[in-house]
Amino acid sequence: MEPQRKRLKTSDLDLDSWDPVAVLSDQLCTDVELVQALAAPVLDHRQTSRAVQELRQMHPLRGLAHLKRVRRTGAGSAHALEVLVRPLHEPSDYDYSRLGLGDLFVVTVPSTAPLTRPQFDTASAHWPTSFHEDKMASAALRGELFPAGQKEKMHRYMSLAVEAAKDGQKLGLDAIGAVMVDPDSEQVIATAHDCRRKHPLHHAAMVCIDLVAKSQGGGRYGYEEFSGCGFSASHWSAVQPYLCTGYDLYVTREPCVLCAMALLHSRVRRVFYGTAAADGALGSTFKLHAQRDLNHRFEVFKDVCVGLCRELDQSRSL
């Protein structure tokens, strides 16, 4: 059963000392890479449509389909339009003057489509591009992802994980705690701490996943000797999601590769962690949750209640 925990008062929460930071893929949080291409001024604007149609057939810009073919020039330019002709190293001996174009010149263009507003602002300064914004990533970069009141809930859940970590620490185990939450019902499904004294693979996150399975009538191990580990029996019903589908994990320290893969396979929705780890797989060493070739991805946020979680790490080193 779920361990009994004291309920924190709002006045006990120090919500101004931390902010959740989204751990985004490199593709989202770095500038778009730039490559070189060849463009030409449109000398006869009456031939613009014909020029674009023929260029699309001769040079379809494979891999650069996000780029607009034509851009307007600034005031004072000798010509109003410029057209993107072809990639820099694509050979051609065609006489583009037949299309009403002037001499070719080198331009720098974004190699991939921008996904966030900062990427778009940078990319479009070089050449016009299509833009399908990843609104979650943009909001995360602006620090506007979570509405008012959400941080209080996050603080409460992470505080439960901290308490679980302290329970494990009293038993001589690593001070790492984890809590699995159903964000829709706001119910704590499972609470766990490090249990590697029982089994070398029983990291806090792994135990938490196993306890979720127990809440669904499955599970592999028993944790009766660990009072800080338990699950909510009242959550069990005939209809259950697949393991952690739709659930959020709060864990005091960044999960390792083992735990991150287990979270991926259990279809967790989001992971919130307090402090980074040298072998962490969700931001420090890897960003496993953002690997594009995996069949499930989840959102990750770090620095949640980072002060409380850092105290656990410091006590571990004493």
Side-chain angles (χ1 to χ4, degrees):
M1 297 293 290
E2 182 182 354
Q4 294 296 314
R5 303 292 184 187
K6 65 180 181 179
R7 185 171 180 81
L8 298 175
K9 299 178 181 179
T10 302
S11 59
D12 296 331
L13 307 182
D14 184 7
L15 301 179
D16 295 329
S17 63
W18 60 272
D19 283 299
V21 177
V23 182
L24 302 174
S25 68
D26 292 340
Q27 183 185 18
L28 289 170
C29 60
T30 58
D31 289 336
V32 173
E33 183 181 355
L34 301 174
V35 295
Q36 290 185 320
L38 291 172
V42 178
L43 303 182
D44 185 354
H45 69 276
R46 294 171 298 180
Q47 296 195 59
T48 302
S49 295
R50 172 174 166 254
V52 168
Q53 290 176 2
E54 295 202 21
L55 286 172
R56 283 174 177 167
Q57 293 179 353
M58 288 189 293
H59 308 295
L61 297 180
R62 295 181 180 89
L64 298 174
H66 56 282
L67 298 175
K68 305 292 186 181
R69 200 83 205 205
V70 177
R71 73 175 178 184
R72 294 187 177 278
T73 58
S77 175
H79 44 272
L81 300 174
E82 294 173 341
V83 63
L84 195 60
V85 176
R86 57 184 169 87
L88 180 63
H89 299 295
E90 184 175 307
S92 176
D93 57 1
Y94 184 81
D95 181 5
Y96 297 105
S97 64
R98 299 176 183 176
L99 301 177
L101 305 181
D103 294 336
L104 299 182
F105 62 92
V106 177
V107 292
T108 302
V109 299
S111 63
T112 57
L115 299 174
T116 65
R117 181 61 60 175
Q119 288 180 343
F120 174 70
D121 291 341
T122 300
S124 59
H126 293 273
W127 192 272
T129 177
S130 60
F131 179 41
H132 302 287
E133 185 176 13
D134 186 320
K135 294 186 181 299
M136 189 283 287
S138 291
L141 291 171
R142 294 193 303 268
E144 301 173 353
L145 191 59
F146 296 101
Q150 186 64 32
K151 278 183 66 176
E152 180 180 337
K153 295 176 184 178
M154 294 163 65
H155 195 293
R156 292 184 186 280
Y157 296 140
M158 187 62 84
S159 294
L160 294 178
V162 169
E163 289 186 51
K166 292 179 178 178
D167 288 340
Q169 189 178 38
K170 293 175 184 177
L171 300 175
L173 301 166
D174 269 0
I176 306 173
V179 168
M180 194 73 72
V181 177
D182 181 346
D184 294 331
S185 65
E186 299 186 7
Q187 183 175 8
V188 174
I189 309 302
T191 304
H193 57 64
D194 174 74
C195 292
R196 280 175 287 176
R197 187 175 69 188
K198 182 179 181 68
H199 192 287
L201 298 183
H202 282 183
H203 298 211
M206 298 287 286
V207 174
C208 208
I209 294 170
D210 194 42
L211 287 169
V212 170
K214 280 185 171 294
S215 77
Q216 299 173 359
R220 174 67 177 81
Y221 299 95
Y223 306 94
E224 291 78 9
E225 68 267 41
F226 302 114
S227 61
C229 299
F231 64 93
S232 174
S234 62
H235 185 74
W236 191 91
S237 65
V239 180
Q240 290 288 340
Y242 172 75
L243 286 178
C244 303
T245 301
Y247 293 166
D248 294 341
L249 177 76
Y250 290 80
V251 59
T252 58
R253 192 187 308 165
E254 180 185 359
C256 63
V257 172
L258 169 74
C259 295
M261 283 301 299
L263 291 165
L264 183 148
H265 286 302
S266 65
R267 297 299 189 268
V268 73
R269 176 189 174 190
R270 298 182 297 189
V271 173
F272 299 86
Y273 68 83
T275 59
D279 61 347
L282 299 181
S284 294
T285 303
F286 305 105
K287 292 182 179 179
L288 189 145
H289 62 291
Q291 295 297 312
R292 301 182 68 181
D293 55 346
L294 296 176
N295 62 0
H296 175 70
R297 281 179 278 175
F298 51 91
E299 298 173 8
V300 175
F301 303 89
K302 65 180 181 178
D303 292 350
V304 177
C305 300
V306 62
L308 292 176
C309 297
R310 188 175 290 132
E311 289 177 5
L312 291 173
D313 286 347
Q314 291 171 347
S315 65
R316 174 174 176 264
S317 62
L318 295 178

